[in-house]
């Protein structure tokens, strides 16, 4: 009798996977079959038409496309992240971005669905366009410069002081320091001393993750920005460093368009300052500049960055 009751209780859930830590979420967050029942229920709750559910771009959250909508489901707290807080932040920021004239998705609905776990979600309109990482491959140098100029116009609108955040100190937040533990003790010590002594200026709203998937370019060359989940208040170099290295991958034409008349040393300094405080800074260094062991001290990193830009 107990077993029959237990089976009945289990089948009441729309989501059947176990999430006890982050690895559980990583294993399933891209799965259409796992999330389809949950998404269909969400669409029903929000009185939106049911469409066939497709995979969308991979990321930290479970993101799917359904007709003209994009549905993003955030990890539950059992994964180790606070998906509800992340959803609330992203919804608030995205709505503020729509108001300042930056082309970005409009939020159709957001909320929390209580199932086996409490899942926060956002539904946005789908924006047509090629991801930057694909579109840039067929661009001429002149087209790249123009895209760089357009992107700079966007970040100039975006990177302004904002009241949409708490007073989290992105420069010295304890959780962010743990991401540098693979670097030498000397490097870690010098990094913290540099951040404490350096004048980074006033914090502004930054997207925080302007990578090749979060920038869409349509057939008319219009740029749209998506996925504001990593937005924070931080110095502007936080944004510019990731754009120059992760997005542009040191491409000269893109750099000229975005940074205008800045010389290579100025751009290198911007990237050096920005990488040291960026949430993904340690990983960006590893992917584009060298192995952890290559950087025993800050000067090693500074020189490597300068070499990269002076070679352009």
């Amino acid at each position: 009798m107990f077993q029959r009751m237990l089976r009945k209780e289990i089948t009441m859930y729309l989501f059947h996977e176990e999430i006890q830590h982050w690895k559980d979420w990583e294993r399933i967050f891209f799965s259409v079959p796992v999330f389809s029942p949950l998404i269909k229920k969400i669409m029903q709750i929000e009185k939106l038409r049911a469409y066939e559910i497709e995979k969308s771009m991979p990321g930290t959250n479970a993101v799917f496309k359904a007709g003209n909508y994009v549905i993003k489901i955030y990890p539950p707290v059992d994964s180790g992240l606070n998906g509800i807080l992340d959803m609330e932040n992203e919804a608030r920021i995205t709505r503020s971005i729509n108001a300042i004239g930056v082309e970005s998705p409009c939020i159709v609905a957001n909320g929390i669905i209580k199932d086996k776990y409490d899942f926060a979600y956002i539904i946005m309109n789908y924006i047509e366009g090629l991801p930057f990482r694909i579109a840039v491959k067929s661009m001429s140098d002149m087209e790249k410069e123009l895209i760089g100029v357009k992107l700079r116009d966007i970040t100039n609108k975006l990177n302004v002081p904002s009241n949409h955040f708490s007073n989290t100190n992105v420069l010295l937040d304890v959780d962010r320091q743990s991401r540098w533990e693979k670097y030498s003790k000397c490097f870690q010590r010098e990094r913290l001393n540099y951040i404490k002594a350096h004048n980074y200026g006033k914090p502004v709203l930054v997207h925080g993750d302007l990578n090749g998937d979060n920038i869409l370019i349509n057939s008319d060359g219009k740029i749209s920005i998506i996925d504001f989940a990593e937005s924070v208040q931080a110095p502007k170099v936080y944004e510019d460093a990731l754009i120059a290295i992760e997005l542009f991958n040191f491409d000269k034409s893109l750099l000229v368009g975005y940074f205008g008349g800045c010389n290579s040393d100025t751009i290198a300094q911007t990237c050096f300052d920005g990488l040291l405080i960026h949430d993904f800074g340690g990983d960006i260094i590893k992917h584009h500049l060298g192995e952890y062991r290559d950087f025993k001290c800050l000067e090693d990193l500074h020189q490597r960055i300068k070499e990269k830009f002076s070679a352009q």
Side-chain angles (χ1 to χ4, degrees), residues 152 155 159 170-171 194-195 198-210 232-246 258-259 265-279 281 284 305 309:
R152 186 68 186 205
T155 58
N159 299 154
V170 300
L171 300 185
Y194 182 89
I195 291 171
H198 187 68
N199 180 11
Y200 273 96
K202 292 182 179 179
V204 295
L205 170 62
V206 297
H207 179 283
D209 193 18
L210 286 175
V232 291
Q233 278 208 109
K236 182 160 174 52
V237 293
Y238 188 101
E239 193 93 282
D240 290 346
L242 186 140
I243 288 172
I245 299 178
E246 178 74 13
Y258 187 80
F259 288 99
D265 284 346
T266 300
I267 301 172
Q269 187 65 47
T270 293
C271 291
F272 177 75
D273 293 340
L275 286 182
L276 293 181
I277 60 172
H278 202 288
D279 220 11
I284 294 170
I305 294 173
F309 284 107

Side-chain angles (χ1 to χ4, degrees), residues 85-86 89 92 162-177 179 202-204 206 230-235 238 277 279:
L85 180 60
D86 289 346
N89 285 339
R92 184 168 60 250
S162 170
N163 59 0
H164 292 289
F165 296 92
S166 63
N167 294 321
T168 300
N169 187 338
V170 300
L171 300 185
L172 298 171
D173 181 73
V174 174
D175 290 339
R176 293 167 186 263
Q177 310 318 313
R179 304 188 182 194
K202 292 182 179 179
V204 295
V206 297
E230 301 295 337
S231 293
V232 291
Q233 278 208 109
Y238 188 101
I277 60 172
D279 220 11

Side-chain angles (χ1 to χ4, degrees), residues 45-280:
I45 291 170
E46 300 295 349
K47 298 180 171 57
L48 297 172
R49 178 182 166 186
Y51 291 92
E52 182 181 353
I53 299 164
E54 309 170 41
K55 287 183 182 179
S56 190
M57 289 179 294
T60 302
N61 304 302
V63 185
F64 303 92
K65 181 178 180 290
N68 293 321
Y69 301 111
V70 171
I71 301 95
K72 178 183 290 189
I73 298 178
Y74 296 76
V77 293
D78 307 73
S79 69
L81 293 185
N82 189 336
I84 294 175
L85 180 60
D86 289 346
M87 177 275 289
E88 291 171 344
N89 285 339
E90 184 169 5
R92 184 168 60 250
I93 294 161
T94 302
R95 288 188 172 106
S96 74
I97 297 306
N98 296 151
I100 63 174
V102 173
E103 191 72 23
S104 56
C106 294
I107 294 181
V108 177
N110 64 285
I112 300 167
I113 183 169
K114 294 180 177 295
D115 196 69
K116 186 174 184 178
Y117 305 95
D118 289 353
F119 290 103
Y121 65 87
I122 284 179
I123 303 174
M124 296 169 280
N125 65 302
Y126 174 74
I127 293 181
E128 198 72 50
L130 276 179
F132 179 95
R133 62 181 173 81
I134 296 174
V136 75
K137 292 178 181 178
S138 60
M139 290 181 189
S140 66
D141 289 342
M142 187 177 295
E143 288 171 328
K144 288 179 181 178
E145 281 194 36
L146 180 58
I147 286 296
V149 171
K150 288 182 178 180
L151 185 58
R152 186 68 186 205
D153 289 343
I154 289 171
T155 58
N156 283 343
K157 290 179 182 178
L158 182 64
N159 299 154
V160 295
S162 170
N163 59 0
H164 292 289
F165 296 92
S166 63
N167 294 321
T168 300
N169 187 338
V170 300
L171 300 185
L172 298 171
D173 181 73
V174 174
D175 290 339
R176 293 167 186 263
Q177 310 318 313
S178 63
R179 304 188 182 194
W180 294 87
E181 290 176 353
K182 292 181 180 179
Y183 290 84
S184 72
K185 295 296 183 184
C186 176
F187 186 99
Q188 293 180 56
R189 184 170 58 252
E190 287 187 6
R191 173 182 167 272
L192 284 176
N193 289 339
Y194 182 89
I195 291 171
K196 290 174 182 177
H198 187 68
N199 180 11
Y200 273 96
K202 292 182 179 179
V204 295
L205 170 62
V206 297
H207 179 283
D209 193 18
L210 286 175
N211 62 50
D213 287 319
N214 288 337
I215 298 172
L216 302 179
I217 302 175
N218 72 9
S219 57
D220 296 327
K222 181 185 288 185
I223 296 177
S224 299
I225 308 296
I226 64 172
D227 196 351
F228 288 84
E230 301 295 337
S231 293
V232 291
Q233 278 208 109
K236 182 160 174 52
V237 293
Y238 188 101
E239 193 93 282
D240 290 346
L242 186 140
I243 288 172
I245 299 178
E246 178 74 13
L247 180 65
F248 291 170
N249 194 21
F250 306 100
D251 184 283
K252 182 178 180 179
S253 298
L254 291 167
L255 291 168
V256 168
Y258 187 80
F259 288 99
C262 293
N263 60 43
S264 61
D265 284 346
T266 300
I267 301 172
Q269 187 65 47
T270 293
C271 291
F272 177 75
D273 293 340
L275 286 182
L276 293 181
I277 60 172
H278 202 288
D279 220 11
F280 309 144

